[in-house]
Amino acid sequence: MSDPDGPRTEWMNAAADVLRGLNADEEPAALLRRVARHTCALTGVDSCAVMLLDETGTRLVTRASHGLTEAYRHDLDSLAPMLVHPTAHAPDVPAAQAVRERRTVVLSDVDGLGEDSPWRAAAGREGIHSILAVPLDADDGCAGVLVGYTRRAHRFAASELALAELMAQYVATVLRAARVKEVQRSTIAQLEKTNAELTTAVESLHHERAQREWAEAQDRRLVALLLDDAGLDGVLDALADALAATVVLESAEDGTVLARSADAAAGRERPAATAALPLGRELGTLGPGSSPVRLELGNAHAWVLALAVAGEAVARLWVIRDRDAGAGAPPLVRSVIERFAPLVALELHKRRHAADAALRLTRDLAVDLVSGGGRDRDLRDRARALGHDLTRPHTVVLVPAGAAATRCARAAH
């Protein structure tokens, strides 16, 4: 009997294996070969290539593969430049289209490449029939593409596409984490050198040295939070612990509280001022890129910082400390808030992205259920992954569009 949780287990094993390679400081090519191998196992393709943008950002270059011959790998990079934005006379390919349009592209038959395409003949020699291209998309741009190949006609199931897209999103995050890890390693090494120099400085510099060491600890904590995938709540708790404060994240649009630190778990009571947050009405023109603003809230001090994703203000970060705790305030409060802010924004974006993905998958599942598309087992597996048990009775309610939709929704609830 097959394991109904098999795809989920395979995905978790693949993600863990890639993360082990990252934590072991594996060479980028070896890490990407892991990705290609797991993509084949998860999506049912016979071979896979990982293509990344070159330094100009205009051309895709094959960095790793699994299951491809050396001859075909050579063809990919030598027949013609694989331009993301091809000219009128240059051939287009699914990989470039996926990066350009930032969406998954499926080519069921390589004959669709066109008679003039130099890659059509190469694909025929390799025995390739179908191509799946999934962009390595992240909030800071598209780094490249995962390309899967089959040697037979293959219709990719929704579950296979979902796993391929999930793997691509994870790989984009891993690549970004690898870059951050390298930058942080260099930064920490430089800071450690600075600390060694400060040990020989005069007594008047000892206080500054202590502050720098404390800031380094926050940098290391940030790296650990990123690599451990602590999530939004974990990042807020870490910031609260670092500053002995209460941390609240609110919507920039209407002041709704999106998340907060677990003060009770940290052994601190919530400052009374938190119950009467001004929700931005006293902040004036506070916007993305500004420094934390300090406010006086009755019996507490507060620092407020606007957070932005893709240049758009999405939230405000509040750090609140009891006035009585001011004497023991950690140094460089504003600096620590600014160091944590990008990670808070990243985790908030990841949470929103996960919610959007869950909504899309739920919507696709509902459409397939109502229309009768897909196999029963696939539908049950997809529903189970979304937390629904299709073996139990369900009621389907169709709500008309327009003004009546709100009333129908309230009635359904």
mmCIF file of all heavy atoms in Angstrom, residues 343-374:
data_model
loop_
_atom_site.group_PDB
_atom_site.id
_atom_site.type_symbol
_atom_site.label_atom_id
_atom_site.label_comp_id
_atom_site.label_asym_id
_atom_site.label_seq_id
_atom_site.Cartn_x
_atom_site.Cartn_y
_atom_site.Cartn_z
ATOM 1 N N LEU A 343 15.285 41.312 8.378
ATOM 2 C CA LEU A 343 14.866 39.931 8.593
ATOM 3 C C LEU A 343 13.388 39.855 8.960
ATOM 4 O O LEU A 343 12.680 38.939 8.535
ATOM 5 C CB LEU A 343 15.720 39.292 9.696
ATOM 6 C CG LEU A 343 15.558 37.783 9.891
ATOM 7 C CD1 LEU A 343 15.750 37.037 8.580
ATOM 8 C CD2 LEU A 343 16.536 37.274 10.937
ATOM 9 N N VAL A 344 12.899 40.836 9.746
ATOM 10 C CA VAL A 344 11.464 40.885 10.059
ATOM 11 C C VAL A 344 10.660 41.062 8.771
ATOM 12 O O VAL A 344 9.653 40.381 8.550
ATOM 13 C CB VAL A 344 11.157 42.024 11.052
ATOM 14 C CG1 VAL A 344 9.648 42.157 11.263
ATOM 15 C CG2 VAL A 344 11.850 41.772 12.389
ATOM 16 N N ALA A 345 11.114 41.971 7.893
ATOM 17 C CA ALA A 345 10.417 42.197 6.625
ATOM 18 C C ALA A 345 10.436 40.945 5.761
ATOM 19 O O ALA A 345 9.433 40.595 5.128
ATOM 20 C CB ALA A 345 11.046 43.377 5.880
ATOM 21 N N LEU A 346 11.580 40.241 5.740
ATOM 22 C CA LEU A 346 11.682 39.007 4.958
ATOM 23 C C LEU A 346 10.720 37.950 5.473
ATOM 24 O O LEU A 346 10.006 37.310 4.690
ATOM 25 C CB LEU A 346 13.121 38.480 5.009
ATOM 26 C CG LEU A 346 13.358 37.097 4.388
ATOM 27 C CD1 LEU A 346 13.037 37.120 2.905
ATOM 28 C CD2 LEU A 346 14.803 36.645 4.610
ATOM 29 N N GLU A 347 10.674 37.759 6.790
ATOM 30 C CA GLU A 347 9.772 36.746 7.357
ATOM 31 C C GLU A 347 8.314 37.118 7.133
ATOM 32 O O GLU A 347 7.473 36.246 6.896
ATOM 33 C CB GLU A 347 10.052 36.567 8.855
ATOM 34 C CG GLU A 347 11.412 35.976 9.179
ATOM 35 C CD GLU A 347 11.566 34.567 8.654
ATOM 36 O OE1 GLU A 347 10.547 33.920 8.373
ATOM 37 O OE2 GLU A 347 12.713 34.107 8.515
ATOM 38 N N LEU A 348 7.993 38.411 7.208
ATOM 39 C CA LEU A 348 6.619 38.847 6.933
ATOM 40 C C LEU A 348 6.256 38.555 5.490
ATOM 41 O O LEU A 348 5.152 38.069 5.194
ATOM 42 C CB LEU A 348 6.479 40.343 7.227
ATOM 43 C CG LEU A 348 5.105 40.967 6.973
ATOM 44 C CD1 LEU A 348 4.054 40.301 7.843
ATOM 45 C CD2 LEU A 348 5.141 42.463 7.255
ATOM 46 N N HIS A 349 7.199 38.816 4.577
ATOM 47 C CA HIS A 349 6.942 38.515 3.154
ATOM 48 C C HIS A 349 6.769 37.012 2.943
ATOM 49 O O HIS A 349 5.887 36.589 2.187
ATOM 50 C CB HIS A 349 8.087 39.045 2.311
ATOM 51 C CG HIS A 349 7.968 38.713 0.853
ATOM 52 N ND1 HIS A 349 7.041 39.320 0.029
ATOM 53 C CD2 HIS A 349 8.628 37.815 0.084
ATOM 54 C CE1 HIS A 349 7.157 38.823 -1.185
ATOM 55 N NE2 HIS A 349 8.108 37.909 -1.185
ATOM 56 N N LYS A 350 7.610 36.200 3.609
ATOM 57 C CA LYS A 350 7.500 34.750 3.476
ATOM 58 C C LYS A 350 6.154 34.259 3.982
ATOM 59 O O LYS A 350 5.520 33.384 3.377
ATOM 60 C CB LYS A 350 8.633 34.069 4.239
ATOM 61 C CG LYS A 350 9.990 34.181 3.556
ATOM 62 C CD LYS A 350 11.127 33.829 4.466
ATOM 63 C CE LYS A 350 11.014 32.416 5.000
ATOM 64 N NZ LYS A 350 12.175 32.081 5.873
ATOM 65 N N ARG A 351 5.690 34.833 5.104
ATOM 66 C CA ARG A 351 4.382 34.422 5.636
ATOM 67 C C ARG A 351 3.271 34.767 4.653
ATOM 68 O O ARG A 351 2.373 33.961 4.401
ATOM 69 C CB ARG A 351 4.134 35.097 6.987
ATOM 70 C CG ARG A 351 2.757 34.820 7.577
ATOM 71 C CD ARG A 351 2.541 35.513 8.900
ATOM 72 N NE ARG A 351 3.261 34.853 9.980
ATOM 73 C CZ ARG A 351 3.079 35.153 11.274
ATOM 74 N NH1 ARG A 351 2.199 36.094 11.606
ATOM 75 N NH2 ARG A 351 3.748 34.515 12.196
ATOM 76 N N ARG A 352 3.351 35.972 4.082
ATOM 77 C CA ARG A 352 2.320 36.365 3.108
ATOM 78 C C ARG A 352 2.391 35.496 1.859
ATOM 79 O O ARG A 352 1.360 35.102 1.305
ATOM 80 C CB ARG A 352 2.492 37.836 2.735
ATOM 81 C CG ARG A 352 2.132 38.803 3.853
ATOM 82 C CD ARG A 352 2.152 40.246 3.348
ATOM 83 N NE ARG A 352 1.645 41.166 4.348
ATOM 84 C CZ ARG A 352 1.451 42.463 4.134
ATOM 85 N NH1 ARG A 352 1.727 42.965 2.937
ATOM 86 N NH2 ARG A 352 0.990 43.239 5.078
ATOM 87 N N HIS A 353 3.617 35.205 1.431
ATOM 88 C CA HIS A 353 3.782 34.370 0.237
ATOM 89 C C HIS A 353 3.230 32.972 0.481
ATOM 90 O O HIS A 353 2.575 32.387 -0.390
ATOM 91 C CB HIS A 353 5.254 34.301 -0.146
ATOM 92 C CG HIS A 353 5.495 33.609 -1.448
ATOM 93 N ND1 HIS A 353 5.221 34.191 -2.664
ATOM 94 C CD2 HIS A 353 5.974 32.366 -1.726
ATOM 95 C CE1 HIS A 353 5.514 33.358 -3.633
ATOM 96 N NE2 HIS A 353 5.985 32.240 -3.103
ATOM 97 N N ALA A 354 3.486 32.423 1.687
ATOM 98 C CA ALA A 354 2.967 31.097 2.013
ATOM 99 C C ALA A 354 1.446 31.098 2.035
ATOM 100 O O ALA A 354 0.799 30.160 1.560
ATOM 101 C CB ALA A 354 3.529 30.634 3.358
ATOM 102 N N ALA A 355 0.871 32.186 2.584
ATOM 103 C CA ALA A 355 -0.588 32.275 2.619
ATOM 104 C C ALA A 355 -1.160 32.362 1.210
ATOM 105 O O ALA A 355 -2.179 31.737 0.894
ATOM 106 C CB ALA A 355 -1.016 33.483 3.455
ATOM 107 N N ASP A 356 -0.494 33.159 0.345
ATOM 108 C CA ASP A 356 -0.959 33.264 -1.040
ATOM 109 C C ASP A 356 -0.866 31.917 -1.755
ATOM 110 O O ASP A 356 -1.751 31.535 -2.523
ATOM 111 C CB ASP A 356 -0.132 34.309 -1.797
ATOM 112 C CG ASP A 356 -0.395 35.722 -1.301
ATOM 113 O OD1 ASP A 356 -1.426 35.921 -0.628
ATOM 114 O OD2 ASP A 356 0.429 36.608 -1.581
ATOM 115 N N ALA A 357 0.252 31.184 -1.505
ATOM 116 C CA ALA A 357 0.406 29.875 -2.141
ATOM 117 C C ALA A 357 -0.663 28.904 -1.672
ATOM 118 O O ALA A 357 -1.227 28.142 -2.467
ATOM 119 C CB ALA A 357 1.801 29.318 -1.844
ATOM 120 N N ALA A 358 -0.957 28.916 -0.342
ATOM 121 C CA ALA A 358 -1.986 28.028 0.183
ATOM 122 C C ALA A 358 -3.353 28.369 -0.417
ATOM 123 O O ALA A 358 -4.143 27.478 -0.748
ATOM 124 C CB ALA A 358 -2.034 28.117 1.710
ATOM 125 N N LEU A 359 -3.619 29.684 -0.567
ATOM 126 C CA LEU A 359 -4.892 30.094 -1.151
ATOM 127 C C LEU A 359 -4.992 29.629 -2.600
ATOM 128 O O LEU A 359 -6.037 29.129 -3.035
ATOM 129 C CB LEU A 359 -5.026 31.619 -1.069
ATOM 130 C CG LEU A 359 -6.296 32.222 -1.698
ATOM 131 C CD1 LEU A 359 -7.541 31.691 -1.005
ATOM 132 C CD2 LEU A 359 -6.257 33.745 -1.618
ATOM 133 N N ARG A 360 -3.877 29.771 -3.339
ATOM 134 C CA ARG A 360 -3.900 29.345 -4.741
ATOM 135 C C ARG A 360 -4.105 27.843 -4.859
ATOM 136 O O ARG A 360 -4.895 27.370 -5.680
ATOM 137 C CB ARG A 360 -2.594 29.759 -5.421
ATOM 138 C CG ARG A 360 -2.465 29.301 -6.859
ATOM 139 C CD ARG A 360 -1.222 29.870 -7.510
ATOM 140 N NE ARG A 360 -0.022 29.561 -6.779
ATOM 141 C CZ ARG A 360 0.612 28.378 -6.884
ATOM 142 N NH1 ARG A 360 0.145 27.439 -7.698
ATOM 143 N NH2 ARG A 360 1.708 28.150 -6.198
ATOM 144 N N LEU A 361 -3.392 27.080 -4.028
ATOM 145 C CA LEU A 361 -3.543 25.629 -4.077
ATOM 146 C C LEU A 361 -4.953 25.209 -3.667
ATOM 147 O O LEU A 361 -5.526 24.271 -4.228
ATOM 148 C CB LEU A 361 -2.506 24.968 -3.167
ATOM 149 C CG LEU A 361 -1.049 25.118 -3.611
ATOM 150 C CD1 LEU A 361 -0.120 24.549 -2.562
ATOM 151 C CD2 LEU A 361 -0.815 24.441 -4.954
ATOM 152 N N THR A 362 -5.516 25.901 -2.653
ATOM 153 C CA THR A 362 -6.882 25.589 -2.227
ATOM 154 C C THR A 362 -7.867 25.894 -3.339
ATOM 155 O O THR A 362 -8.810 25.126 -3.598
ATOM 156 C CB THR A 362 -7.226 26.395 -0.956
ATOM 157 O OG1 THR A 362 -6.303 26.057 0.074
ATOM 158 C CG2 THR A 362 -8.641 26.075 -0.487
ATOM 159 N N ARG A 363 -7.663 27.041 -4.009
ATOM 160 C CA ARG A 363 -8.566 27.411 -5.099
ATOM 161 C C ARG A 363 -8.477 26.397 -6.242
ATOM 162 O O ARG A 363 -9.504 25.963 -6.782
ATOM 163 C CB ARG A 363 -8.216 28.805 -5.604
ATOM 164 C CG ARG A 363 -9.134 29.300 -6.715
ATOM 165 C CD ARG A 363 -8.848 30.746 -7.080
ATOM 166 N NE ARG A 363 -7.482 30.904 -7.540
ATOM 167 C CZ ARG A 363 -6.560 31.609 -6.920
ATOM 168 N NH1 ARG A 363 -6.843 32.221 -5.799
ATOM 169 N NH2 ARG A 363 -5.323 31.705 -7.413
ATOM 170 N N ASP A 364 -7.249 25.983 -6.585
ATOM 171 C CA ASP A 364 -7.091 24.993 -7.649
ATOM 172 C C ASP A 364 -7.745 23.666 -7.272
ATOM 173 O O ASP A 364 -8.374 23.006 -8.107
ATOM 174 C CB ASP A 364 -5.602 24.758 -7.937
ATOM 175 C CG ASP A 364 -4.940 25.985 -8.543
ATOM 176 O OD1 ASP A 364 -5.683 26.874 -9.004
ATOM 177 O OD2 ASP A 364 -3.703 26.040 -8.561
ATOM 178 N N LEU A 365 -7.605 23.271 -5.997
ATOM 179 C CA LEU A 365 -8.228 22.028 -5.538
ATOM 180 C C LEU A 365 -9.752 22.125 -5.621
ATOM 181 O O LEU A 365 -10.414 21.188 -6.077
ATOM 182 C CB LEU A 365 -7.794 21.726 -4.099
ATOM 183 C CG LEU A 365 -8.461 20.523 -3.436
ATOM 184 C CD1 LEU A 365 -8.116 19.238 -4.176
ATOM 185 C CD2 LEU A 365 -8.045 20.431 -1.968
ATOM 186 N N ALA A 366 -10.309 23.276 -5.205
ATOM 187 C CA ALA A 366 -11.759 23.435 -5.243
ATOM 188 C C ALA A 366 -12.283 23.345 -6.676
ATOM 189 O O ALA A 366 -13.311 22.716 -6.942
ATOM 190 C CB ALA A 366 -12.166 24.762 -4.600
ATOM 191 N N VAL A 367 -11.540 23.976 -7.600
ATOM 192 C CA VAL A 367 -11.957 23.927 -9.008
ATOM 193 C C VAL A 367 -11.947 22.494 -9.518
ATOM 194 O O VAL A 367 -12.880 22.037 -10.198
ATOM 195 C CB VAL A 367 -11.042 24.829 -9.863
ATOM 196 C CG1 VAL A 367 -11.306 24.607 -11.346
ATOM 197 C CG2 VAL A 367 -11.263 26.284 -9.513
ATOM 198 N N ASP A 368 -10.886 21.735 -9.198
ATOM 199 C CA ASP A 368 -10.794 20.348 -9.651
ATOM 200 C C ASP A 368 -11.888 19.489 -9.036
ATOM 201 O O ASP A 368 -12.427 18.588 -9.682
ATOM 202 C CB ASP A 368 -9.415 19.766 -9.312
ATOM 203 C CG ASP A 368 -8.322 20.342 -10.195
ATOM 204 O OD1 ASP A 368 -8.676 20.970 -11.219
ATOM 205 O OD2 ASP A 368 -7.143 20.169 -9.868
ATOM 206 N N LEU A 369 -12.222 19.758 -7.765
ATOM 207 C CA LEU A 369 -13.282 18.979 -7.112
ATOM 208 C C LEU A 369 -14.641 19.252 -7.763
ATOM 209 O O LEU A 369 -15.420 18.333 -8.026
ATOM 210 C CB LEU A 369 -13.335 19.311 -5.619
ATOM 211 C CG LEU A 369 -12.201 18.759 -4.754
ATOM 212 C CD1 LEU A 369 -12.269 19.336 -3.352
ATOM 213 C CD2 LEU A 369 -12.266 17.236 -4.699
ATOM 214 N N VAL A 370 -14.902 20.527 -8.011
ATOM 215 C CA VAL A 370 -16.216 20.878 -8.577
ATOM 216 C C VAL A 370 -16.321 20.433 -10.029
ATOM 217 O O VAL A 370 -17.363 19.941 -10.473
ATOM 218 C CB VAL A 370 -16.446 22.404 -8.452
ATOM 219 C CG1 VAL A 370 -17.715 22.805 -9.194
ATOM 220 C CG2 VAL A 370 -16.551 22.795 -6.986
ATOM 221 N N SER A 371 -15.197 20.555 -10.775
ATOM 222 C CA SER A 371 -15.243 20.220 -12.197
ATOM 223 C C SER A 371 -15.010 18.740 -12.472
ATOM 224 O O SER A 371 -15.197 18.280 -13.601
ATOM 225 C CB SER A 371 -14.194 21.045 -12.944
ATOM 226 O OG SER A 371 -12.893 20.688 -12.506
ATOM 227 N N GLY A 372 -14.589 17.992 -11.443
ATOM 228 C CA GLY A 372 -14.331 16.569 -11.643
ATOM 229 C C GLY A 372 -12.984 16.293 -12.269
ATOM 230 O O GLY A 372 -12.746 15.184 -12.754
ATOM 231 N N GLY A 373 -12.078 17.253 -12.278
ATOM 232 C CA GLY A 373 -10.765 17.031 -12.868
ATOM 233 C C GLY A 373 -9.816 16.353 -11.897
ATOM 234 O O GLY A 373 -9.921 16.511 -10.690
ATOM 235 N N GLY A 374 -8.882 15.582 -12.411
ATOM 236 C CA GLY A 374 -7.861 14.938 -11.580
ATOM 237 C C GLY A 374 -8.306 13.590 -11.045
ATOM 238 O O GLY A 374 -9.503 13.276 -10.958
#
